Amino acid sequence: MIFNKCKYLIEYVLSLPKSLYFCLHYFTIRKAIRFPILISRKTKLDNLKGKIIFQNNTYFGMVKIGFSGSYNLGNKSYFNNEGGVIIFNKKATFSRGIQLICGRDAKIEFGDNFRCNSNCIINSGNNIKFGEDVLLSWNVQILDGDGHIILYNYNTKNKTNNNIVNLENHIWVCSNCSLLKGTKIKSNCIIAANSCINKEIEKSNVIVASNNKIVRENINWIE
């Protein structure tokens, strides 16, 4: 336990130069030197064109990107903001190996106490919104678009590429899940491991499995 704490502390210290560079890019000097975002030195910064907005007062390490993770999963993380807006309401934690991608004119909003385990992908070309106390297990991918434009061969219309993804409060997304465009999850739900969701789940306090199927009702979960 003590060894792990020392290891994480050393990693935070070694990551301070990259964290400062990152914060100075997005914030005023006065806010940047508070280090509201700590970003791992192993995180690849591909594009920093967009904005990062805090809805509340900031403090040291309010957002952590690329540190820790379960079972020694994850390695290098990836950050790419091509011209969108990333909003943090309060505390957010992203573990090793995550990919956080916000496209041009897109938006990602994180509620308070957002936690993301290793090797997750959050990729927005339109709008992805998380409420408070959302927990993503490892290997979860959340995509609000197709990634490419899909053409119909029998007419001139293109398939809609993007749709909103909205997760309300206190939601646990278990390992190896895919939440695709059009996903809307109400509060106090669990998404079962290995599920693929792409529709609105109209009930709260349920367990949802693949193909948007509710498999258990009247549940809640404790961290």
Side-chain angles (χ1 to χ4, degrees):
M1 183 68 71
I2 296 176
F3 173 78
N4 286 334
K5 287 183 178 180
C6 291
K7 182 175 68 173
Y8 292 142
L9 179 59
I10 291 171
E11 186 62 30
Y12 287 138
V13 171
L14 292 175
S15 298
L16 285 177
K18 177 168 275 191
S19 298
L20 181 60
Y21 167 79
F22 187 87
C23 290
L24 285 171
H25 178 86
Y26 279 110
F27 312 120
T28 63
I29 294 177
R30 185 175 180 181
K31 180 179 285 189
I33 60 176
R34 297 178 192 165
F35 289 92
I37 298 178
L38 293 176
I39 189 162
S40 170
R41 61 194 174 96
K42 298 179 181 179
T43 301
K44 180 179 179 180
L45 304 178
D46 196 17
N47 202 321
L48 302 177
K49 289 182 180 179
K51 297 179 180 179
I52 293 180
I53 297 173
F54 284 100
Q55 299 285 48
N56 296 281
N57 293 331
T58 60
Y59 55 84
F60 180 86
M62 184 172 171
V63 174
K64 297 182 179 70
I65 300 175
F67 301 97
S68 69
S70 296
Y71 310 118
N72 203 31
L73 294 171
N75 191 6
K76 292 185 177 181
S77 300
Y78 176 80
F79 180 92
N80 187 341
N81 189 346
E82 297 180 359
V85 178
I86 300 175
I87 300 172
F88 294 104
N89 283 279
K90 272 193 178 179
K91 181 180 178 182
T93 303
F94 303 83
S95 296
R96 294 183 302 262
I98 66 97
Q99 297 186 40
L100 182 56
I101 304 165
C102 190
R104 188 180 294 115
D105 300 323
K107 183 169 76 170
I108 308 176
E109 182 172 356
F110 297 95
D112 185 24
N113 198 32
F114 174 87
R115 289 164 298 157
C116 172
N117 213 325
S118 299
N119 298 334
C120 290
I121 300 173
I122 301 171
N123 187 341
S124 177
N126 185 18
N127 191 334
I128 297 176
K129 183 176 181 179
F130 300 94
E132 297 181 357
D133 298 316
V134 172
L135 172 62
L136 308 184
S137 190
W138 58 88
N139 299 334
V140 170
Q141 58 178 351
I142 299 179
L143 315 170
D144 66 358
D146 298 322
H148 301 279
I149 296 174
I150 298 175
L151 304 175
Y152 291 109
N153 292 327
Y154 48 83
N155 61 34
T156 58
K157 293 183 178 180
N158 298 339
K159 184 176 181 180
T160 301
N161 190 47
N162 297 313
N163 201 345
I164 292 172
V165 172
N166 185 12
L167 278 67
E168 294 186 1
N169 302 320
H170 197 62
I171 292 172
W172 173 17
V173 183
C174 297
S175 59
N176 301 304
C177 286
S178 295
L179 275 55
L180 307 180
K181 66 177 188 178
T183 296
K184 296 179 182 178
I185 309 293
K186 293 192 176 297
S187 297
N188 303 314
C189 287
I190 299 173
I191 309 301
N194 301 302
S195 296
C196 183
I197 309 297
N198 64 354
K199 293 182 179 179
E200 179 177 2
I201 306 302
E202 297 180 349
K203 292 184 177 182
S204 58
N205 297 92
V206 297
I207 298 177
V208 185
S210 284
N211 301 318
N212 312 292
K213 184 179 180 181
I214 294 175
V215 295
R216 191 71 57 87
E217 298 187 22
N218 300 317
I219 64 94
N220 211 326
W221 63 280
I222 301 173
E223 302 177 28

